[in-house]
Amino acid sequence: GNMELQKSSLYRTIDRVPKLDHYSNTLPHKQAKTRPSLAALRKAFKASPQIIFKNHISKHITPCSLIRCMLNIWGVIMFLRLSWITSQAGILLTWVMVFLSVTVTITTVLTISAIATNGKTVSGGPYFMVSRSLGPEIGGPIGLIFAVANALSSALNAVGFAEVVRDLMASYGTTIVDSTNDVRIVGVITMTALLLISFAGMEWESKAQMLFFVALMISFIGYTVGTIIPQTPVKQSQGIFGYKSEIFLANLLPDWRGPSGDFFQMFAIFFPATNGILTGVNISGDLKDPNVGIPKGTLLAVFWTTLSYLALPITVGSCVVRDASGNITDHISANFTGPCTGLACNFGWNFTDCISTQSCQYGLANNLQVLGQVSASFHLITLGVFAASLSSSLSYLVSAPKIFQCLCRDNIYPYIGFFEKGYGKSDEPLRAYILTYIICLIFVCIGGCLDIIAALISNFFLCSYVLINFTCFHASITNSPGWRPSFKYYNNWICMYGALSSLILMFLLTWWAALVTIIVVFLLFLYSSYKKPKVNWGSSVQAGTYNMALSYSVSLSSVEDHVKNFRPQCLVLTGPPNQRPALVDFVGCFTKRTSLMICGDVIMEEQQTHPQRTTDWLVKWMNKRKVRSFYTPIMANSLRGGTQNLLQASGLGKLKPNTLILGFKSNWKDSSPDNLEDYVNTIYDAFDSKFCLCILRMMDGLDIKDHFDCEDLCSKTQQLALHLTFPPLVESAEGISEKSDSDQIKTVFQNDQGKKNIDIYWIADDGGLTLLVPYLLTKRKHWRKCKVRVFIVGDEQNMEERQKEMLELLKRFRLDFQEVIVMTDTEKQPNPKNLNRFVDSVAPFRLFDEQKESASVQELRGNAPWKISDKEFEAFKLKSERKVRLNEIIRRNSLNAAIVLVSLPVPQSDCPSSFYMAWLDALTCGLHCPALLIRGNQEDVLTYYCE
């Protein structure tokens, strides 16, 4: 009997058609606030029966919504497989399967209802819901595979219909060509007819669904009547005896048979009959009020169809025995005295022979067409099978193009924009209809691998349910104020249960198809993440990111500082970041994925405005440059005042800067005295605030643009604002203008540094920052091959000892610096030519007060504090000579270095600002590589202890 079952054409048809059922409204409807009275209904019915149906009944029970849903649930699995599942699992376990399936589907229904009522739902169905909630990276893959799954499901249902038609013709001895080609011919004709119905519009599609619903109702009536009327001897020989308590009790418990006889395999066969709940959502753009129609229509459909799935096993299990021969001669005569096996003996039939040889052809366990045999007319069940397969195929054919059209319009994947165009008032996706039709024809004609495709389709749908449930769960737990669904009958943990249940079912149904589905979704996700679509839908992922950032920031505030957790969190005075790309790139080299970076922009003019669009554009500029940094503009009257505000207020909790980085003021000689004082006082303030300090100098003068002067900075800012207000090229609403690529100036820090040297001139112990920054640089791809050399001060007598001590210290610090060079000539006199150059650089700032009266000198000092007196010049002469000498050593040893790091001199209160700037200039002049003047705040940032 089981071998014959496997060979049955109808059995193969069901295997190939995963009956994915759908719920929701089809026709527009309005919600009535009050129900009409019975008298009003009678009066209106007398006036016009059509008016009463359209204006009153449809407002309250939404019959077209229920029709669409129940058509997709009452599928061919119910007609041709549920009786066999009942024979295997028994009535009780069949009920368990129904309840398990409903718990999964009902959680998804509640989830869909919540998402659908959280704002206006337009065309796109599940893709629209998931993408707008979890973002395009996750929504895009689901939209694509769900559209393909709908298209293939339409083809598979058409094939199922064609095979039933072929078998029906074969029973009458009729064929068109042969068995295989008959299925293809009928399938192509069926798909073409369904396409024409789809082209006619949703109104004609709804009328067709109404006809299918009527056909199904006739099938149910025929079956119900067949269980009640007295059974003929022919039906009794097939094991059909009408309602009997003995048959009900016998079929109550399971009777597993054959290799597929276990609970989970039966559940895998049954579950696809109840898990397709997205038809109404798929056509959400065609519903007049999706926020009402989707929850109401779906929940009502689940309720009534669940009752029918619970009733059918009871009715068929109370009327039909498991085994029967179909031989009318097996009727027991009055004088029969032989052995009799089976429940049928109580009703006068002896099926012992076929039971003992396991050759019974009829009964619940042996015949897939039991419902047709029980029915008052066998052809009524065939009519129901026709209606179920055709209605499902039509629903999928309508759904796939609408989902695909929405996906195309979002421009997530390339080369599909052609199919986004809509036609007519209802914006019908005719091009997408043609594409879906072609896909369906291809798979109708292939036919050979439909079993594999059917397994993939079931997993595609279940994968959609996983993400839909997870979408609602994620939106709920993020506590976003934008999540306000009007449908309140859901729970975030129930949503998570639905997601996990659907994921588990994917592997229970077909494990290899589940793996293929997950791999496909993951690859599409990687593509979307790499391309980063320029869309912003306010997804719950963004809300979740905010929650995580807020939670971790608050928890970080309770963590005590420790030297092992020190990170150089940098406040970089870049101004507009695109004006100093080299400074941005350099700091990004050692802070990316390691520590905090904030680009500070001090806008120094009271009337100067800084529009939000300017900030957004600069942030996009940094993102396009792949710089992970914040941008913080601040209004101030001076550079010093703005920097003080940034030093005090920038950051959040423990995520606040501890290192100030600025560019070298290369125009310090020509700058106004106030701006020069402002710059040096900013350095003073950084040290007073216990900040580490770094000053970057680029010798070519192209990458670092010195715009610290108020007038120049304001002019550049105004030019940037003017460019943003009147861009030369049209800028998209969510992206950067086409000119943005030309604005991305390439700097030396974006190049591969090769095997160049990173030279550290460690003149003073600053806590270790001078050693830590080069170590972080060598962790980057462009700096990985560089060799780090450490230069320290010493004398010839203890040179080897100093070198060993330094190497041992670096080893304990676990810094992979293998070369230490001891400078023994730092005390020598510098070259007179270089010293004279330094003297000439400070000459414009000297008072030359030895030739003037003391009263005049005091007056000059009061009016020009940046001026250098002769006494100050002599007091700092030795320091000046050492700076010049150190510069000579640097130029001699680091001519081809990738970057040079020099200990920054700490400014003294009695040192004029011009003198201090001359020192910085003298230390770094004449170099052709970037130079970084760096100084820690004297707190340890490196440790070799474990605690």
Side-chain angles (χ1 to χ4, degrees), residues 384-399:
V385 173
F386 284 174
S389 57
L390 289 176
S391 63
S392 298
S393 184
L394 180 59
S395 296
Y396 291 129
L397 184 62
V398 171
S399 301

Side-chain angles (χ1 to χ4, degrees), residues 478 543-557 652 655:
T478 54
T545 302
Y546 175 85
N547 280 356
M548 291 178 61
L550 182 61
S551 176
Y552 283 123
S553 298
V554 172
S555 62
L556 189 62
S557 300
L652 179 67
L655 289 174

Side-chain angles (χ1 to χ4, degrees), residues 199 401 417-421 423 428-436:
F199 276 171
F418 175 79
F419 300 100
E420 71 178 56
K421 184 175 178 59
Y423 296 87
E428 290 294 330
L430 300 185
R431 295 179 180 179
Y433 273 126
I434 297 297
L435 176 64
T436 304

